Amino acid sequence: IGDMSARMQVMLLRVLQEGIVRPVGKNKGFAVDVRVVAATHRPLADLVKAGRFREDLYYRLDVARIVLPPLRTRTGDIALLAVHVLGCLVARSGTAKTLTRAAQKRLAEYSWPGNVRELEHALASAFVMADGDELGPGDFDEALASASWGAAHAADEGPAFRHEQRDKMRAALRKTGWNKAKAARLLKMPRRTFYRRLDQYDLDEGTN
């Protein structure tokens, strides 16, 4: 809800005030009786003060508030969530895989800045990439390294950073004889991120 545009805020407020929805292209509306459950990762009160969220809509929505702590503060839930997500992946794919205790410990020790969505992504990635029928701690190396690397560099994604990173990647490739896996390790960059940026920066052996 914190990412809703100003126009959508007005439209939602009108629906909540009047209890009427007017379909696009229709002159006549129809009554609705609904309960709105909204979620946000941004503090709405701060957005109201900054003039980016309507105060009247805020008070319409902020009736019963449930604060969900970040996953890093609920380490006891991580294993339960991981087993549940893995069960969903097994049901969808028809391929049976289990999570070792060592893997559960590895997941519990990670900070999860992306919360449950990041956990789901890590499990889906490990599920697809793992060869055996058990997911061990090593099966999560790539997904967790990629997430950590991306979070650490998210604020640097400007033109100057991209130009500098392209030069570093090119130098690493030359040093390793254009061995992409070795170049990624040399830069301490996750392999999938390295390969994606090879295409993004149009780097190949013919690059000067």
Side-chain angles (χ1 to χ4, degrees), residues 103-123:
Q104 292 181 34
K105 184 175 183 293
R106 171 79 189 280
L107 297 179
E109 291 171 347
Y110 183 67
S111 60
W112 301 108
N115 291 301
V116 176
R117 286 186 181 179
E118 185 182 357
L119 175 63
E120 291 174 336
H121 168 77
L123 282 160

Side-chain angles (χ1 to χ4, degrees), residues 59-72:
Y59 286 117
R60 283 274 183 177
L61 294 169
D62 191 29
V63 178
R65 184 187 304 181
I66 300 174
V67 178
L68 185 64
L71 193 54
R72 66 178 177 274

Side-chain angles (χ1 to χ4, degrees), residues 76-142:
D77 293 346
I78 293 174
L80 295 173
L81 287 167
V83 170
H84 170 72
V85 172
L86 185 60
C88 293
L89 292 169
V90 169
R92 285 202 298 266
S93 68
T95 302
K97 292 191 179 184
T98 58
L99 199 61
T100 66
R101 288 189 178 275
Q104 292 181 34
K105 184 175 183 293
R106 171 79 189 280
L107 297 179
E109 291 171 347
Y110 183 67
S111 60
W112 301 108
N115 291 301
V116 176
R117 286 186 181 179
E118 185 182 357
L119 175 63
E120 291 174 336
H121 168 77
L123 282 160
S125 177
F127 187 87
V128 170
M129 301 301 292
D131 293 326
D133 56 3
E134 282 189 336
L135 301 184
D139 293 316
F140 294 93
D141 288 345
E142 185 70 19

Side-chain angles (χ1 to χ4, degrees), residues 10 17 29 37 59 64 69 88 108 111 116 140 144 148 162 181 186 200:
V10 172
Q17 288 176 335
V37 180
Y59 286 117
C88 293
S111 60
V116 176
F140 294 93
L144 300 187
S148 299
R162 290 193 292 270
L186 183 64
Q200 182 182 344

Side-chain angles (χ1 to χ4, degrees), residues 170-181:
R170 182 168 49 201
L173 285 164
R174 287 174 177 168
K175 187 173 182 178
T176 59
W178 288 86
N179 184 307
K180 298 173 184 178

